[in-house]
Amino acid sequence: MAEQQPSRLQIYSTSSTGVSPFWREKYEREAKKYWDVFYKRHQDRFFKDRHYLDKEWGHYFSVGCGAGNTIFPLVATYPDIFVHACDFSPRAVDLVKTHKDFTENRVSAFVCDLTVDDLSEHISPSSVDIITMIFVLSAVSPEKMPLVLQNIRKVIKPNGYVLFRDYATGDLAQERFSCKDQKISENFYVRGDGTRAFYFSDEFLTSLFKENGFDVEELGFCCKQVENRSREIVMNRRWLQAVFHSSDGLKSSYTESAFKFDLCQGNVEPISSSRNSDQLCRSEENSAKELANDFEVDMSEGMAFEMFGISHSSDEIIEVDAGNWNFKIKVLSKEYQHTCKSTGLMLWESARLMASVLAQNPTVVAGKRVLELGCGCGGICSMVSARSADFVVSTDGDAKALDMLAENVASNLQKPFLDKLITKRLEWGNRDHIEAIKELNDEGFEVIIGTDVTYIPEAILPLFATAKELISSNRDAREIWKPALILCHVLRRVDEPSILSAASKFGFRLVDKWPTSIPTSSSQSIISSWFLEKSSEECIPTTALNIMYFHSE
């Protein structure tokens, strides 16, 4: 039969529909939990202390105090002020209370969800001179932002002021989010760690505060260029900073200069109706001199690691036992997996099962040429195979997964096994990639393995088409063995009949499956023989797993 020309396709979804309703509701419902995990992970090391204010007042209220990076510079500078501080992360409040400069006669810290809890139960009404909202309101759903502002109006003095700084539309982080499925709603996104960020336009911010009883005293954009010298890239950061005063009281006699708190080291321009706000951002003069290696940027970005080229913080090491072998595998940490577009940066249960099967039954690959399709960053099936196989090629279509795979292989395998395993990029249906694999082994592969590679319907035909081109055409003269394609998976969006239909189109015949075996004249099935030992049964991580064993006709 004539082979179909497979289309080029990644095995993970490329949709850009944004966050699903299920996850949108989950992020809203569990917002406190995600921020609590954030502070558990980073403690007080993530944010820089904020030396923003240059005038002493009486009572401050730090909304969304975090680990206290705004509070303690104030307390250290002004000995007579009193600061109220709240956060809806209990862990963040604990960090404030355990800070070396915390004293109850200077700081009152408490847990509070400003969208639900009544502030006047913690702070006397109309008693606060200055409220700081520094990278806080962006973490709140836009539809609930009015609740926050109505809440703080209860405790601010009639002539009190709100000092505000937060993300602006057009910021580099927003541009990065726009390229991924992390959009919740207009200008509202979820980070990889589950925390959220809203990006404000000057029009939205002005309208929001005005509709909730605040007038604009000062409003401007702040722009910075941050240079990552190691990666030779310059990144544009963009914020809005503003001063608001309560509109139901007399305007304070404090001069305007009192509110020019230095958030951007001088690069702030007021909003003017005669100028487009997008034109307000400009590079600082002599920026080349100012972009030093020790340049500090105050930012509450869970994505900061990726933006600044530091990815190790979002990884974790997991231990995998496969037979007598123990592997330490670097994967994307669980808190980042739910928004990661590539499924190849995590380790699936099917890979654990097949690695254990191969470790307990080395004859499956012994002396053979082995190809693993869609192995992801773990590559544990390939590494187990390398101990008894003649030659192993471990492939994936995701470049990031391959980079992590190379690290895992290098850290877990020693010579001579290391010399037998090659990692290679392979997008199913990509002609150039297929030819590159053939150059490594022009005889084809006697065993092809795929674990959890059948979950995208559009990828099934390219999967079997690619396997057909790369499987060996050689046969044992006595028909004791034939080249085999082994798939292990949990059936998700693609059912078994669809898999079998695609397989038959490219000449693959199912000869055995597990846990329900195919009736055969043999005394026992191929796959069942892999689980004869009790230790093999103990390695099964979930009863939902299936194994399908194909021969190529």
Side-chain angles (χ1 to χ4, degrees):
M1 60 178 289
E3 292 186 5
Q4 298 181 17
Q5 177 62 35
S7 59
R8 179 175 177 173
L9 186 73
Q10 292 281 16
I11 65 170
Y12 46 84
S13 174
T14 58
S15 65
S16 56
T17 56
V19 176
S20 68
F22 169 83
W23 282 103
R24 190 179 303 128
E25 293 172 7
K26 181 179 175 65
Y27 295 136
E28 176 65 31
R29 185 175 62 252
E30 301 181 5
K32 178 186 293 187
K33 184 194 76 172
Y34 286 117
W35 276 109
D36 217 40
V37 171
F38 174 91
Y39 285 108
K40 178 181 180 181
R41 184 181 183 88
H42 300 292
Q43 300 291 310
D44 60 353
R45 300 183 298 272
F46 193 83
F47 305 115
K48 306 297 182 183
D49 282 349
R50 296 155 177 162
H51 302 275
Y52 293 158
L53 307 175
D54 60 358
K55 185 173 179 64
E56 181 176 357
W57 306 85
H59 283 72
Y60 284 83
F61 175 32
S62 178
V63 177
C65 62
N69 303 93
T70 300
I71 301 169
F72 295 110
L74 285 171
V75 171
T77 304
Y78 306 117
D80 297 325
I81 67 168
F82 187 88
V83 180
H84 300 278
C86 78
D87 201 286
F88 76 161
S89 166
R91 197 176 299 273
V93 173
D94 287 342
L95 289 172
V96 171
K97 290 182 175 181
T98 56
H99 192 280
K100 61 182 179 63
D101 295 329
F102 175 82
T103 58
E104 290 186 350
N105 63 329
R106 300 290 309 281
V107 179
S108 171
F110 55 95
V111 177
C112 181
D113 181 347
L114 291 174
T115 67
V116 177
D117 303 327
D118 188 350
L119 267 179
S120 60
E121 295 181 1
H122 299 273
I123 304 173
S124 298
S126 304
S127 64
V128 176
D129 296 287
I130 295 292
I131 294 178
T132 61
M133 303 185 75
I134 312 297
F135 294 109
V136 173
L137 203 56
S138 57
V140 179
S141 298
E143 62 270 16
K144 291 188 176 181
M145 290 178 185
L147 299 176
V148 176
L149 299 185
Q150 292 163 22
N151 212 350
I152 66 173
R153 283 195 77 233
K154 297 177 182 178
V155 300
I156 195 170
K157 288 181 177 180
N159 60 351
Y161 284 82
V162 177
L163 306 185
F164 175 94
R165 189 187 191 197
D166 224 317
Y167 304 112
T169 52
D171 181 60
L172 171 69
Q174 184 184 23
E175 294 177 2
R176 288 179 177 270
F177 284 137
S178 298
C179 299
K180 303 177 180 180
D181 292 338
Q182 293 177 239
K183 185 175 181 179
I184 297 175
S185 61
E186 188 67 25
N187 295 326
F188 194 38
Y189 302 84
V190 61
R191 301 186 183 97
D193 61 2
T195 61
R196 300 170 299 173
F198 184 85
Y199 294 82
F200 293 91
S201 66
D202 59 293
E203 295 90 352
F204 179 91
L205 186 65
T206 300
S207 176
L208 175 66
F209 272 81
K210 203 168 188 63
E211 291 173 3
N212 290 279
F214 294 92
D215 290 332
V216 178
E217 181 80 13
E218 179 182 328
L219 179 65
F221 281 99
C222 171
C223 300
K224 281 289 185 182
Q225 282 191 331
V226 183
E227 183 180 19
N228 185 313
R229 297 187 184 279
S230 64
R231 297 176 65 189
E232 298 182 345
I233 57 175
V234 175
M235 298 166 283
N236 295 311
R237 303 309 315 277
R238 180 177 164 97
W239 301 280
L240 266 174
Q241 70 177 51
V243 178
F244 300 96
H245 66 83
S246 179
S247 59
D248 60 356
L250 296 175
K251 189 173 181 180
S252 170
S253 60
Y254 298 128
T255 62
E256 182 180 338
S257 62
F259 302 104
K260 292 188 178 294
F261 51 104
D262 184 16
L263 297 185
C264 292
Q265 299 179 346
N267 187 27
V268 183
E269 296 205 27
I271 300 296
S272 169
S273 59
S274 62
R275 300 176 63 187
N276 186 306
S277 62
D278 288 337
Q279 295 175 335
L280 293 177
C281 277
R282 56 181 172 84
S283 300
E284 295 187 10
E285 295 180 3
N286 303 318
S287 60
K289 296 180 181 179
E290 297 189 19
L291 295 175
N293 280 324
D294 59 352
F295 183 82
E296 293 184 354
V297 177
D298 174 42
M299 53 184 293
S300 54
E301 270 299 325
M303 298 277 293
F305 306 113
E306 177 183 332
M307 292 171 58
F308 288 92
I310 308 171
S311 61
H312 63 274
S313 297
S314 60
D315 302 331
E316 64 180 347
I317 303 296
I318 59 176
E319 288 197 33
V320 179
D321 291 317
N324 296 324
W325 312 112
N326 176 267
F327 299 103
K328 291 180 172 61
I329 305 297
K330 178 190 286 189
V331 299
L332 186 70
S333 66
K334 289 183 179 179
E335 66 183 280
Y336 290 88
Q337 289 178 5
H338 55 99
T339 54
C340 178
K341 199 170 185 179
S342 172
T343 56
L345 299 180
M346 52 200 82
L347 190 64
W348 296 89
E349 297 293 351
S350 56
R352 292 175 180 267
L353 174 59
M354 276 308 303
S356 295
V357 166
L358 295 172
Q360 296 283 350
N361 302 272
T363 55
V364 175
V365 294
K368 299 181 176 68
R369 300 180 296 275
V370 179
L371 171 69
E372 185 174 4
L373 298 174
C375 68
C377 66
I380 55 177
C381 294
S382 292
M383 286 191 279
V384 170
S385 297
R387 300 180 187 275
S388 54
D390 183 56
F391 176 64
V392 180
V393 179
S394 190
T395 69
D396 199 273
D398 180 33
K400 288 185 179 180
L402 281 176
D403 289 342
M404 199 177 290
L405 172 65
E407 289 185 53
N408 285 326
V409 169
S411 62
N412 284 280
L413 283 188
Q414 304 293 327
K415 292 178 177 293
F417 307 127
L418 183 61
D419 295 332
K420 294 196 291 181
L421 195 155
I422 295 176
T423 62
K424 202 75 173 174
R425 187 172 187 184
L426 175 59
E427 293 178 0
W428 305 338
N430 185 310
R431 176 52 52 189
D432 292 337
H433 291 180
I434 292 173
E435 291 301 323
I437 299 294
K438 288 182 176 181
E439 289 179 7
L440 297 174
N441 171 32
D442 58 3
E443 296 183 50
F445 295 88
E446 294 147 314
V447 178
I448 298 180
I449 299 168
T451 58
D452 260 316
V453 293
T454 58
Y455 51 89
I456 300 296
E458 297 81 8
I460 302 303
L461 286 175
L463 164 67
F464 283 103
T466 301
K468 180 65 175 179
E469 291 211 38
L470 295 174
I471 198 165
S472 173
S473 59
N474 297 331
R475 299 289 187 275
D476 180 81
R478 295 170 296 170
E479 291 289 320
I480 295 177
W481 64 265
K482 293 182 180 179
L485 168 63
I486 306 170
L487 300 180
C488 181
H489 48 242
V490 173
L491 293 172
R492 295 184 177 89
R493 294 166 54 193
V494 183
D495 58 18
E496 184 175 302
S498 299
I499 294 173
L500 295 178
S501 174
S504 65
K505 290 181 180 179
F506 293 94
F508 285 99
R509 179 173 60 88
L510 183 68
V511 296
D512 198 9
K513 64 179 182 177
W514 176 91
T516 304
S517 62
I518 293 177
T520 175
S521 57
S522 302
S523 58
Q524 82 183 10
S525 72
I526 300 170
I527 303 177
S528 293
S529 67
W530 299 344
F531 297 97
L532 291 179
E533 295 184 16
K534 188 174 182 181
S535 59
S536 298
E537 295 179 355
E538 293 174 351
C539 73
I540 302 171
T542 171
T543 56
L545 283 166
N546 294 264
I547 300 177
M548 305 178 79
Y549 191 99
F550 295 90
H551 281 163
S552 176
E553 299 299 325

